[in-house]
Amino acid sequence: MTVATGRVVAGRYELSTLIGQGGMGQVWTAYDQRLDRRVAVKLLRPDKVAGQEADELRRRFVRECRVTAQVDHPGLVTVHDAGSEAEELFLVMQYVDGVDLSAHLAERNPYPWQWAVAVAAQLCAVLSAVHAVPIVHRDLKPRNVMVKQDGTVTVLDLGVASVMDADTTRLTHTGTPIGSPAYMAPEQAMGGAVGPYTDLYALGVLLHELLSGDVPFSGSTALGVLHRHLYEPPLPVRRIRPEVPEALEALVLRLLAKDPQHRPASAQEVYEDLALLLPARGTPTGAPLDPTRPFLRPHAPWPDRARTPAPQPVPATPVTPADEKPDVARAVDEVKRLLGEGRITQAVDILGAILPAAAEQHGEHSPVVRTLRKQYAATLMDDGQYRRALPELRRLADERAAEAGQADPQSLRFRYDAAQCLEQLGEPAAALTEYRALLPYYENQYVSGDPELAHDVRRRIGHLLFAVGDRPAAHDTLARLLLDVERLRGPGHPLATEVRRTLQWLGQVRG
């Protein structure tokens, strides 16, 4: 199956970047054109199988959609839509901002054992919800687990899950066993009955990998790996990392028991064991992707998130083949089309992705790049991404002021927009300082005088003075503004009406 960037699935979901593929299909980042949001789209590839196997694969996929949608847990990816189009089947899911656990592990060697405990504890909560349906996941592994920016863990794929009913065995015996050999329990490898205990074995493999840096059983062939699962004992993790608590090593060995009867009875039981090893309540480090954060301060706001925006995906520009240089002009045309259709989020991502290429082709300070940066900042504001817009606006203001002077109208407009961003971000003192610095320019008719903007800035200053607790100054500022507006525009002008209402609300003016 050849799938192209920019293709629209079901008349709604525009594919952007291929982020994964396997024997059962592909996963793409995409844009929901109707709701203007990022999503993930999984496509089934029935052309890879034939005959009865293709029919069985379709049934599995339909089951995946239905069953996944009925599990409600914050640690599971949300299903938005599902259906078929021509010969293909698709599943539309929540887009998760984070890194998969495999990459998370690769970036940290050794992986802190406290982090391993926190990840496993969160996975236990997910598995308890899944097993209650009842569903067996059957393919729990690091690449199916995402660590989000706030440290919470999300399980991405119930793609090979099956309802534990009478036809589970029949599904299992069709074709090759479902799952990944490195994480496959002995009973699953043998094609036997599976249950929650099968997922607990995979959790044990995952925990062993986090603690030791490698899976307990590996080999050059899938059959070799499965043979080791069946007959070899795992290496205790403390022989590799002596600092791992004995209780944690013992739990991993219980999870990896060959006989399901010798494993913990449930994910709940595993959680209770892990809870004794979780960190005590305290202050998080402030670093993103720390899986202990949800346990250190449960449900607490992320204080550093207000200062550092979460990284955004950088999609492939949908008008450019991967092996060619990005076509800046065509990307600009695409952005105009998207903005005309109200698809702001997608336009933002394309602008952000094309800017480095435009700077390389035309020069960082070229008119083309300057225009793109202006559009990027304005589109970020339209999309409500004020934290990302603020540095762009400040940069534009500084560059323009360096060329044309501090009183240049365009530079002042960038500063005005930056002050609006500060307002929206809940930083009234900083916004107040910026507006006060701007006001003399707008009030000076010989420089950049703009009475309407001057009145708007004064109104904002009045509101911000109240926000920072200076009620007398707020009243004085708004009262003087009301007199000026009534004199210049008449008492019935909308701004006069609004300011009068604000003063009445402040309790300083009657009638």
Side-chain angles (χ1 to χ4, degrees), residues 211-255:
L211 294 170
S212 70
D214 201 0
V215 292
F217 307 112
S218 58
S220 58
T221 66
L223 286 177
V225 174
L226 296 177
H227 184 275
R228 297 187 66 190
H229 277 291
L230 287 166
Y231 300 109
E232 290 188 19
L235 180 69
V237 293
R238 280 170 53 82
R239 296 187 188 177
I240 304 169
R241 290 184 64 188
E243 72 272 21
V244 172
E246 291 183 16
L248 184 54
E249 178 187 72
L251 177 60
V252 173
L253 291 174
R254 287 175 60 211
L255 288 166

Side-chain angles (χ1 to χ4, degrees), residues 12-302:
R12 176 174 178 179
Y13 307 105
E14 183 173 336
L15 304 183
S16 175
T17 307
L18 179 64
I19 56 175
Q21 60 183 342
M24 292 188 69
Q26 298 180 334
V27 180
W28 290 74
T29 59
Y31 294 91
D32 180 346
Q33 296 179 348
R34 185 176 302 168
L35 297 179
D36 189 30
R37 62 178 175 180
R38 298 178 194 88
V39 294
V41 175
K42 180 176 180 180
L43 298 174
L44 186 68
R45 303 195 295 179
D47 58 304
K48 296 296 181 182
V49 294
Q52 293 183 347
E53 288 189 1
D55 293 336
E56 189 63 49
L57 194 57
R58 290 176 186 278
R59 283 194 290 271
R60 286 179 184 166
F61 187 84
V62 171
R63 172 168 296 193
E64 171 188 343
C65 300
R66 186 180 71 249
V67 172
T68 304
Q70 65 182 270
V71 186
D72 183 17
H73 191 277
L76 275 172
V77 69
T78 302
V79 174
H80 294 315
D81 195 5
S84 61
E85 186 174 75
E87 297 299 315
E88 297 172 354
L89 300 169
F90 66 87
L91 176 64
V92 183
M93 300 165 286
Q94 163 196 4
Y95 174 82
V96 179
D97 178 21
V99 299
D100 71 53
L101 189 57
S102 179
H104 203 234
L105 172 61
E107 292 169 1
R108 293 159 180 85
N109 185 23
Y111 200 79
W113 68 261
Q114 296 89 344
W115 284 26
V117 169
V119 167
Q122 293 190 59
L123 290 175
C124 283
V126 177
L127 290 176
S128 287
V130 169
H131 294 162
V133 172
I135 302 170
V136 183
H137 188 288
R138 300 186 185 215
D139 199 21
L140 184 66
K141 57 186 178 183
R143 289 202 177 278
N144 279 344
V145 176
M146 292 287 288
V147 182
K148 297 168 68 176
Q149 298 296 323
D150 64 357
T152 56
V153 165
T154 301
V155 176
L156 290 183
D157 190 11
L158 289 181
V160 291
S162 297
V163 176
M164 290 188 293
D165 58 14
D167 63 356
T168 297
T169 303
R170 179 175 57 79
L171 282 172
T172 303
H173 282 294
T174 302
T176 58
I178 306 172
S180 303
Y183 304 88
M184 193 175 291
E187 66 276 8
Q188 188 177 6
M190 294 294 290
V194 298
Y197 43 82
T198 307
D199 287 340
L200 295 185
Y201 184 92
L203 178 63
V205 175
L206 187 149
L207 251 179
H208 188 284
E209 184 176 6
L210 293 178
L211 294 170
S212 70
D214 201 0
V215 292
F217 307 112
S218 58
S220 58
T221 66
L223 286 177
V225 174
L226 296 177
H227 184 275
R228 297 187 66 190
H229 277 291
L230 287 166
Y231 300 109
E232 290 188 19
L235 180 69
V237 293
R238 280 170 53 82
R239 296 187 188 177
I240 304 169
R241 290 184 64 188
E243 72 272 21
V244 172
E246 291 183 16
L248 184 54
E249 178 187 72
L251 177 60
V252 173
L253 291 174
R254 287 175 60 211
L255 288 166
L256 292 176
K258 308 297 184 189
D259 185 344
Q261 298 300 316
H262 296 158
R263 297 173 203 157
S266 66
Q268 176 71 42
E269 181 180 317
V270 178
Y271 179 88
E272 298 302 335
D273 288 343
L274 290 168
L276 301 175
L277 300 169
L278 287 169
R281 299 289 177 88
T283 303
T285 62
L289 303 170
D290 180 351
T292 64
R293 181 193 294 271
F295 300 100
L296 290 168
R297 298 190 70 190
H299 305 294
W302 185 356

Side-chain angles (χ1 to χ4, degrees), residues 296-380:
L296 290 168
R297 298 190 70 190
H299 305 294
W302 185 356
D304 57 300
R305 192 177 181 89
R307 297 189 294 272
T308 306
Q312 296 294 323
V314 181
T317 307
V319 294
T320 306
D323 57 348
E324 298 179 9
K325 288 186 177 181
D327 188 326
V328 176
R330 292 179 66 190
V332 170
D333 289 341
E334 177 73 0
V335 167
K336 289 178 180 177
R337 180 184 69 81
L338 293 169
L339 291 176
E341 297 174 2
R343 291 155 59 187
I344 299 173
T345 298
Q346 190 172 356
V348 161
D349 286 348
I350 292 176
L351 284 166
I354 202 66
L355 267 169
E360 182 179 348
Q361 291 179 26
H362 300 280
E364 186 66 42
H365 302 290
S366 66
V368 170
V369 172
R370 186 72 57 82
T371 300
L372 283 174
R373 290 199 180 280
K374 288 168 58 177
Q375 183 66 72
Y376 185 45
T379 310
L380 284 169

Side-chain angles (χ1 to χ4, degrees), residues 487-506:
R487 185 177 70 253
L488 291 174
R489 305 181 182 180
H493 189 275
L495 179 58
T497 302
E498 179 187 341
V499 174
R500 193 180 300 112
R501 187 185 307 117
T502 302
L503 287 168
Q504 290 172 342
W505 178 72
L506 287 171

Side-chain angles (χ1 to χ4, degrees), residues 402-457:
E403 296 170 356
Q406 295 292 332
D408 175 71
Q410 195 172 61
S411 176
L412 294 174
R413 184 68 203 198
F414 291 140
R415 291 176 60 186
Y416 172 84
D417 289 342
Q420 284 190 294
C421 288
L422 290 168
E423 270 194 272
Q424 294 293 331
L425 291 170
E427 301 181 26
L432 181 59
T433 299
E434 190 65 46
Y435 283 129
R436 280 174 161 169
L438 285 170
L439 186 58
Y441 294 104
Y442 289 134
E443 289 185 325
N444 188 340
Q445 60 179 323
Y446 299 106
V447 181
S448 303
D450 188 330
E452 288 192 12
L453 264 178
H455 286 162
D456 181 69
V457 169

